[in-house]
Amino acid sequence: MTDLEINDLTVEYSSGGYVVRPIDGLQLHARSGEMVLLLGPSGCGKTTLLSCLAGILTPTAGRIRFGDTVVSDLSGDALTEYRRRTVGIVFQAFNLIPSLTALENVQVPLLAERSAGRTASNRAQTLLERVGLSDRTHHRPGDLSGGQQQRVAIARALAYDPPLLLADEPTAHLDYIQVDSVLRILREIAEPGRVVVVATHDDRMVPLADRVVELAPKTAVNEEGAPIRVELAQDQVLFTQGSRGDRVYVVERGQVALVRARTDGTEEALDVVGPGGYFGELGPLLGYPRAATARAATAAVVTGYTIRDFREMCGQARIAEVLGGGARKPLPHASRRRTVRKAPAKAAAAQHAKPRSSRAKKG
C-alpha cells in the first residue's frame, strides 16, 4: 500500500525573530491513486508541507508516513534513497536546463544514476510521449511554450516512476489553454500505486481533486450577532497569536496588552489598549489568523463586535485608515447602539484562544 498519512503535523520556524507556525496539528490520510490539493494563498504553508513530504524539511512535531516508511524519522542514506526513488517533484519555475533539449532534460536524473545512455534515452522518450511531447523531444526550453516546459518537467519528475509526486503551483505561469493539458496529465498520473499532491492557490482545480486540504481555512464571519461583553481578570488571555476569530474588541474598562511571541521564548510588547481603544481588527477584516496575543494588563472589560458593527462604528474612511496602518483612534461610544450580551470570561476566552488546526476534507 502507498497510502499517505499525516498525523498532528506542526511546522514552526523563525521569521524576523518571530515565531511563525504555518502548519499546526495537520491531519491527512490519502489513499493510493488519489490527487490531493493543498489549497491556500501565498505564505499559508503549501510549499512548507511539500518540503516535509519530500524529506527536505524536518517538521517540528508530528509524523509523516508514506507506505511503510516514516518519512519524518529518516536520516542519512535512507533519507537520500527516499528522495531519489520515492518522490518526484514538479517545480513552479520548471527548473529545466536551458542548453539541453527536452529529451536530455528528462534524461538528467537517469544519467546521474549512471543508467546506460540507451536505456535513459528510451525511458525519456517514453515519458515525453506520455505527456504529449513526442514531436518536441529535440527542442530546447526556449523554443517551448510554458505549458510544454511544464510537461517536460512532469516527465522528468516521473523518471524513476515515483509513487509520490509533488507539484508546487504547476499552473502558476500558464494561460488557460496551457493549463488544460497540464491538469489532465496530473489527473491521469494519479493512478493506483501513486499519490499526487498539488499545491495551488487556484480553487478552480478543486473539482479535479479527491481530497482538499485548506491550509488557510476562511474564518466563518458572523455578520449578525449582538455585541458580547467579556470581563477579564488581570493576565487572562482573550485570544492567542495564530488563532482565528470573527470579533473586533473595544476596551470599556481597564487595559489590554497585545504581545507577539519571539523565537527566543520571550514576548514583544506591541501595544497597550485602554478605554475606547480597539484591537483584533485585521484578522477578521482580512481573514488572517490573529497576529498577536491579547492579554488583560489589568482587570478589564471588553466588548466584542461583529465586522458589520465595527464597519458601521468606524465608517468607510476609518476602515481604509485601519487597513493602511493608521493610528488606533478611540471609537465614539455614541455609535455603539446595539444591545450588548454578556459572555462569561472563561467561555469567551476559550472560544478565541485555541488555534484552529487545518483539516483535510473531501473534494
Side-chain angles (χ1 to χ4, degrees):
M1 292 288 289
T2 53
D3 287 7
L4 172 65
E5 292 186 18
I6 299 176
N7 296 312
D8 294 323
L9 192 73
T10 297
V11 179
E12 184 177 289
Y13 58 84
S14 171
S15 178
Y18 298 111
V19 175
V20 178
R21 188 177 296 148
I23 301 173
D24 190 5
L26 179 68
Q27 305 279 358
L28 172 65
H29 181 195
R31 296 183 177 87
S32 173
E34 290 187 336
M35 175 188 278
V36 180
L37 206 65
L38 307 180
L39 189 64
S42 298
C44 72
K46 300 189 301 294
T47 300
T48 297
L49 181 52
L50 289 184
S51 297
C52 290
L53 294 175
I56 297 170
L57 181 65
T58 301
T60 306
R63 187 175 74 166
I64 299 172
R65 177 187 290 276
F66 184 68
D68 296 328
T69 303
V70 180
V71 181
S72 46
D73 289 348
L74 295 177
S75 62
D77 292 342
L79 180 58
T80 300
E81 186 66 12
Y82 169 82
R83 293 170 178 164
R84 180 179 296 155
R85 298 288 180 177
T86 303
V87 183
I89 303 177
V90 180
F91 299 97
Q92 177 179 342
F94 314 141
N95 287 1
L96 301 177
I97 301 173
S99 60
L100 301 183
T101 64
L103 186 69
E104 291 166 340
N105 266 284
V106 178
Q107 289 182 70
V108 165
L110 297 166
L111 295 174
E113 283 292 289
R114 300 185 179 181
S115 296
R118 184 181 296 275
T119 300
S121 179
N122 290 341
R123 174 65 176 161
Q125 185 70 50
T126 298
L127 289 170
L128 287 172
E129 289 175 0
R130 182 170 187 180
V131 298
L133 291 176
S134 57
D135 59 340
R136 292 289 188 271
T137 57
H138 298 296
H139 288 66
R140 291 181 171 81
D143 299 322
L144 301 173
S145 68
Q148 289 170 337
Q149 290 184 62
Q150 192 60 288
R151 282 187 277 163
V152 173
I154 293 172
R156 181 184 58 191
L158 292 172
Y160 285 109
D161 197 21
L164 178 61
L165 187 95
L166 310 176
D168 191 6
E169 297 281 7
T171 62
H173 303 305
L174 310 182
D175 59 43
Y176 72 94
I177 295 176
Q178 299 177 88
V179 164
D180 180 74
S181 61
V182 170
L183 293 185
R184 286 178 186 274
I185 292 168
L186 290 173
R187 180 64 264 185
E188 288 171 4
I189 61 178
E191 55 194 2
R194 179 180 294 121
V195 175
V196 175
V197 181
V198 180
T200 184
H201 63 274
D202 189 351
D203 57 11
R204 292 174 298 179
M205 293 180 65
V206 169
L208 292 173
D210 299 295
R211 297 180 187 273
V212 176
V213 181
E214 292 183 299
L215 290 178
K218 296 177 181 178
T219 302
V221 176
N222 183 2
E223 289 287 1
E224 301 301 324
I228 297 175
R229 183 172 182 266
V230 184
E231 296 181 4
L232 299 169
Q234 185 174 356
D235 294 328
Q236 184 172 352
V237 173
L238 179 63
F239 58 73
T240 59
Q241 180 178 332
S243 64
R244 292 177 178 270
D246 61 359
R247 295 269 174 172
V248 181
Y249 293 91
V250 176
V251 178
E252 308 293 346
R253 187 171 69 246
Q255 294 182 324
V256 175
L258 302 178
V259 299
R260 185 171 295 157
R262 299 187 65 88
T263 53
D264 60 4
T266 63
E267 290 181 335
E268 178 185 10
L270 301 178
D271 200 358
V272 176
V273 185
Y278 60 87
F279 62 93
E281 71 282 1
L282 288 183
L285 281 169
L286 301 178
Y288 291 165
R290 303 285 194 186
T293 292
R295 181 187 299 122
T298 66
V301 176
V302 301
T303 301
Y305 293 90
T306 65
I307 290 299
R308 175 180 294 178
D309 283 351
F310 182 66
R311 288 180 182 276
E312 290 177 355
M313 291 159 63
C314 281
Q316 193 57 43
R318 283 288 300 278
I319 288 293
E321 186 179 312
V322 167
L323 293 176
R328 297 174 183 274
K329 299 176 183 177
L331 297 174
H333 283 258
S335 66
R336 301 185 222 144
R337 302 187 185 124
R338 303 199 62 188
T339 302
V340 175
R341 176 164 55 90
K342 184 175 181 180
K346 289 185 179 179
Q351 179 182 0
H352 299 284
K354 186 176 181 181
R356 185 179 302 172
S357 297
S358 299
R359 296 285 178 175
K361 68 178 185 178
K362 275 284 186 180

